[in-house]
Amino acid sequence: QVRIVESGGTSVQAGGSLRLSCEVSGYTYSTYSMAWFRQVSGKEREGVAYISSDGDTTYVDSVKGRCTISKDNAKSILYLEMNTLKPEDAAMYYCAVSSVVYLAYSERFKEDYYGSWSQGTQVTVSS
């Protein structure tokens, strides 16, 4: 049984930083790719950052240069480091796991490729 425990969501001021964490356990596949998504109430969920099994990364344009996705394979923990936060970064953040070890660029932020999701953690950014 897959268990994903997410943490790190909090309220920060614009310009601040935070780190989200996502610990995965019980996953059948020894290697997998993962991603962070976010959703603002009333809007569609969007992909933020992706990391393949071998560490290849992709970011949505709005966070490039401000966010870093990384993972600790030994601990099965995914991270999202966010810097210079903007009010538009405020959202519910989710991590997701795909059994595909390497997704093509056009597939990386398509939700259909992710079979397991976290419960979500709220990030609030005050101006």
Side-chain angles (χ1 to χ4, degrees):
Q1 183 176 353
V2 178
R3 184 165 179 258
I4 303 177
V5 179
E6 186 179 6
S7 61
T10 187
S11 180
V12 297
Q13 287 192 326
S17 301
L18 60 77
R19 187 177 75 167
L20 303 179
S21 301
C22 191
E23 183 174 2
V24 180
S25 61
Y27 207 76
T28 302
Y29 303 92
S30 59
T31 57
Y32 43 83
S33 55
M34 299 183 72
W36 289 97
F37 288 78
R38 65 187 180 187
Q39 187 172 26
V40 176
S41 180
K43 295 187 177 181
E44 289 189 358
R45 189 156 52 186
E46 67 166 350
V48 177
Y50 165 89
I51 187 166
S52 70
S53 176
D54 62 355
D56 188 33
T57 58
T58 298
Y59 299 91
V60 68
D61 286 346
S62 60
V63 305
K64 283 181 180 177
R66 301 189 297 117
C67 291
T68 302
I69 186 172
S70 62
K71 57 178 181 169
D72 183 329
N73 287 328
K75 297 180 180 179
S76 296
I77 299 178
L78 177 74
Y79 300 101
L80 182 68
E81 189 86 30
M82 304 178 70
N83 300 304
T84 319
L85 282 159
K86 302 176 181 180
E88 51 263 42
D89 293 318
M92 185 71 80
Y93 283 74
Y94 302 88
C95 67
V97 181
S98 172
S99 59
V100 181
V101 298
Y102 187 93
L103 287 168
Y105 284 100
S106 62
E107 299 168 340
R108 293 182 174 185
F109 293 144
K110 291 186 178 181
E111 297 183 28
D112 287 347
Y113 286 97
Y114 297 89
S116 299
W117 293 80
S118 67
Q119 77 281 5
T121 189
Q122 184 69 44
V123 172
T124 303
V125 183
S126 58
S127 57

